[in-house]
Amino acid sequence: KIGDSSSSSSIGLEQYSHIWIIFVFHLNTKSSNPKRIKSKIAPPALGGKKVGIYATRSPHRYNPIGITLCKIDRIEKIAKTKHTEERIQIHISGLDLVDGTPVLDIKPFVPTYDSVPMDVRLPSWVEGGLATKRNVVIGQDALDDLTVILEKDKNALQFYGQRYGEKTVQETVEYAVECIRQVLAIDVRSNFQTKKAREGKFQAERAKRLQGAAAAAAADGGRGTNAVASDVCTQQLDNLLIQYVVDETSDTKRSTSVGSGAE
């Protein structure tokens, strides 16, 4: 809820295709204590070298506020009931925020104001980093596992499935796998975080959201969090816990990113 969430607040918004969302990095523990914020940080694409915090998009900031762009799919008006006031829901796609992120405001995207000419200047490490992607290979066992999960429960995933327009299990698998491929192809973790991950010291299954499911699986005779091998990295996507390994490259594309997740 952002201020007045009645339908009058969104009159005219349906005429736009995209909106900016201004939000808070609420899971950012460092920003809760300004003394822990560093004026210089090491972005992933610089392989351990540091630049000033204002030259980066790091979430660890003195004021942990972010902005992101997403597409408006539809705007739904929810009628007033005995127990609730009239309100609206804005259905969006292409959002890169975690579930439960506090939203401060939304603003319509206007190209005339929000776009700039093509002669934009970027540091070479940013431009090169955006162009560097891993080659991701997804095994047949993983595809079979995802298919089985969705055949048992078509609503197993929170943001994929028939309620989002996918007509078959296979179509949902294809959409989810493509998202997994895109996430793993670009590793935004720093040199330090990447090293921890490859040593098994930085695992996504430690997330509170997944702890209950892991405990239940262990009690049922399945694999719990301790079943993950030390050299296996993990990544959470929707309700999935993805396990993967990283093969070190023998052909580093950019000297600035040696040791980072991008290579």
Side-chain angles (χ1 to χ4, degrees), residues 13 18-22 67 69 105-110 114:
L13 187 61
H18 292 74
I19 54 174
W20 290 107
I21 295 184
I22 296 90
I67 182 170
L69 186 67
D105 197 7
I106 62 174
K107 300 180 185 294
F109 173 77
V110 181
D114 300 335

Side-chain angles (χ1 to χ4, degrees), residues 109-122:
F109 173 77
V110 181
T112 303
Y113 300 147
D114 300 335
S115 300
V116 295
M118 294 304 294
D119 57 343
V120 175
R121 186 173 70 251
L122 291 174

Side-chain angles (χ1 to χ4, degrees), residues 15 23 65 83-84 97 126-127 137 162 183 195 205 218 239 242:
Q15 299 177 49
F23 63 93
I65 298 172
H83 304 291
T84 62
L97 303 183
V126 172
E127 202 165 16
V137 178
Q162 293 182 6
V183 169
K195 185 174 184 294
E205 71 269 25
N239 291 327
I242 303 158

